[in-house]
Amino acid sequence: MSILIIKTTLPQGALHATYADLPGHHTDCYETEVEGAVTLPQYVEAFYTGRLFKCERVILKYTGKRPSTDAQARAIAQGDATSFAAWDMEHRTDTQLLMNDLTGSTKSWFMVEPLDGDSTRLRFGSVVTPNPETGELPRLVKPLMRFHDLYSKLLLKGAVRRLKVMSG
C-alpha cells in the first residue's frame, strides 16, 4: 500500500496559520487523502498510538516529561482531556486540534477535511517558535529541518496505517 504524503501550504483557517505571520516562526503542513470518513478523534488517536509515535512517547517519558498511555491518547483525541505527554491543548474545533509543548517552543496541529465522495484529507503540521530573547529560531532547528520533514511524513503515514488497523 502506497501512501502519498505531500508538503503543502497551510490551508485557510488552519489553527496554526496565525503563527506563520509572526516574525521568526516556522510553520509547515503535510497532507494525505484516505478512503472513508475519518473524524478528528479517530485521526488523533491513530496518530498518538502509532508505533513510531510510541517510540517518541518512551523518549519523552525518560527525558523528564509526562509519561503517557494509549488511554490518555484516546482521552485527548476524544476531547476528554486537555493534556497528553509533553503537550497541552491550545485550541480545538470539530475538525482541528492545536497542541503546545510544555516548553512553548513547538506546537503540533491536526486537521481532518471531509472530501466529496467517501474520503478524508488528513493534515499534520508544526510550529517552531523563535527564542524570545533573540527572535530567531534555535541554532539546531535549520540543520534538523530535513529530519523534521521526513519524521513528519513518517508520523502521518503511521497514522494512516493505524487508522486502517483500527477500522478493520
Side-chain angles (χ1 to χ4, degrees):
M1 156 185 77
S2 177
I3 302 168
L4 177 64
I5 308 288
I6 61 167
K7 188 172 185 179
T8 186
T9 57
L10 277 59
Q12 193 168 19
L15 291 178
H16 71 317
T18 55
Y19 294 101
D21 298 329
L22 296 177
H25 286 68
H26 165 83
T27 56
D28 55 39
C29 177
Y30 302 87
E31 68 180 44
T32 192
E33 291 181 22
V34 295
E35 290 181 17
V38 176
T39 65
L40 181 66
Q42 290 169 323
Y43 171 37
V44 172
E45 180 179 348
F47 187 96
Y48 281 146
T49 61
R51 278 191 309 192
L52 183 58
F53 198 83
K54 281 187 178 185
C55 293
E56 183 172 338
R57 285 171 42 191
V58 169
I59 292 167
L60 291 171
K61 175 182 175 180
Y62 291 107
T63 57
K65 307 292 184 195
R66 296 179 282 199
S68 58
T69 65
D70 285 355
Q72 291 168 323
R74 203 167 298 108
I76 193 71
Q78 294 295 326
D80 296 333
T82 58
S83 62
F84 171 72
W87 295 272
D88 292 318
M89 183 178 64
E90 182 172 318
H91 194 71
R92 184 185 188 112
T93 69
D94 289 341
T95 59
Q96 296 184 64
L97 174 64
L98 182 62
M99 301 291 285
N100 186 29
D101 83 5
L102 294 173
T103 67
S105 59
T106 64
K107 301 174 188 298
S108 297
W109 167 76
F110 304 87
M111 181 178 183
V112 295
E113 178 185 359
L115 300 172
D116 290 338
D118 190 31
S119 62
T120 306
R121 180 173 292 126
L122 304 178
R123 292 189 172 109
F124 171 68
S126 302
V127 177
V128 181
T129 60
N131 179 312
E133 295 174 13
T134 66
E136 296 179 1
L137 291 175
R139 280 189 142 145
L140 287 177
V141 170
K142 287 183 183 178
L144 291 176
M145 289 315 287
R146 289 183 90 146
F147 171 76
H148 170 77
D149 182 65
L150 174 62
Y151 187 59
S152 295
K153 290 175 181 177
L154 291 173
L155 286 170
L156 188 47
K157 281 183 182 184
V160 171
R161 287 187 185 107
R162 182 85 177 115
L163 280 166
K164 290 183 186 297
V165 170
M166 291 168 61
S167 68

